[in-house]
Amino acid sequence: MNLFAPDYYVKSFKSINLQRLHENGIQLLLCDIDNTLVAYDEVFPNQDVIDFVEKLKENGIEVALCSNSPSARGEEFSKHLSVSNAYTFACKPFPFCFKKAKKDYGLKASQIAILGDQMYTDILGGNIWGLYTILTAPIAIKDRKITKVFRFFEELLYGYLEKKNILKRGEFDD
Ligand SMILES: [Mg+2]
């Protein structure tokens, strides 16, 4: 298995098929914020994000935010959502927030999914630590400076994965 290959590749959080999460025994979805749920400069969740969280909860899946952003960003964002936790300054791909989530919810890593737009943080971290990984196309082209550095290496990685027939950019599962 390639550590950068997601278990599930979607165009947007809106196209996630909950049936697929149920089939994989997922009970908690950890959501990255920037460029996964909203553009990085959007302070508040929009109605699509609010509806998405509600739909997951109605279907028996808990939702928590899991962002490398500073605490203030995550806390402000989470105030407007009925998520049960906001893990901020998470330092993905390191497992601090994954371990905390396992403990907080009493779950095994395999029962937790991580949804994010970056291979070097969200997907690599999730795969190393045994979570179910969901890669989404990033919402906006705009990025923080540090993210731009990661994007450069991500370009190379996409090229490699495409050559190996592991993942084709834009050929989403849903
Ligand atoms: Mg992100």
Side-chain angles (χ1 to χ4, degrees):
M1 180 200 160
N2 188 296
L3 285 175
F4 293 102
D7 294 304
Y8 188 18
Y9 180 34
V10 294
K11 188 171 187 198
S12 151
F13 65 87
K14 289 181 271 183
S15 47
I16 289 175
N17 181 349
L18 297 192
Q19 188 57 37
R20 185 159 170 161
L21 301 189
H22 284 307
E23 281 163 11
N24 283 282
I26 301 307
Q27 297 195 31
L28 169 68
L29 179 68
L30 296 175
C31 288
D32 171 51
I33 301 174
D34 294 336
N35 273 334
T36 293
L37 295 178
V38 294
Y40 87 90
D41 51 358
E42 286 179 59
V43 180
F44 304 113
N46 55 40
Q47 194 58 46
D48 284 342
V49 176
I50 294 167
D51 292 347
F52 173 63
V53 171
E54 289 305 323
K55 192 174 90 176
L56 282 158
K57 293 183 71 176
E58 281 164 18
N59 282 274
I61 298 173
E62 278 293 332
V63 189
L65 300 174
C66 178
S67 170
N68 280 359
S69 295
S71 306
R73 159 73 161 146
E75 276 159 24
E76 190 61 40
F77 195 83
S78 71
K79 269 189 214 159
H80 305 269
L81 286 174
S82 52
V83 291
S84 45
N85 257 308
Y87 303 106
T88 52
F89 204 58
C91 304
K92 295 170 285 183
F94 295 102
F96 311 116
C97 68
F98 305 149
K99 284 187 170 168
K100 187 135 199 317
K102 271 170 68 178
K103 205 173 154 205
D104 289 347
Y105 293 86
L107 295 172
K108 289 185 252 175
S110 62
Q111 295 172 303
I112 303 172
I114 170 83
L115 164 67
D117 67 303
Q118 286 193 72
M119 285 184 176
Y120 285 100
T121 57
D122 307 304
I123 303 307
L124 175 64
N127 280 337
I128 289 176
W129 306 106
L131 278 67
Y132 183 81
T133 51
I134 310 171
L135 176 68
T136 176
I139 285 185
I141 303 302
K142 277 186 293 179
D143 267 320
R144 290 177 205 283
K145 273 187 190 144
I146 179 69
T147 309
K148 279 183 186 160
V149 177
F150 278 107
R151 293 278 183 223
F152 171 77
F153 289 104
E154 211 164 61
E155 281 300 310
L156 301 179
L157 188 55
Y158 268 108
Y160 169 80
L161 294 174
E162 288 189 4
K163 217 165 112 187
K164 293 273 174 191
N165 262 322
I166 294 170
L167 180 86
K168 287 250 189 294
R169 189 166 3 190
E171 284 185 15
F172 304 108
D173 296 316
D174 279 311

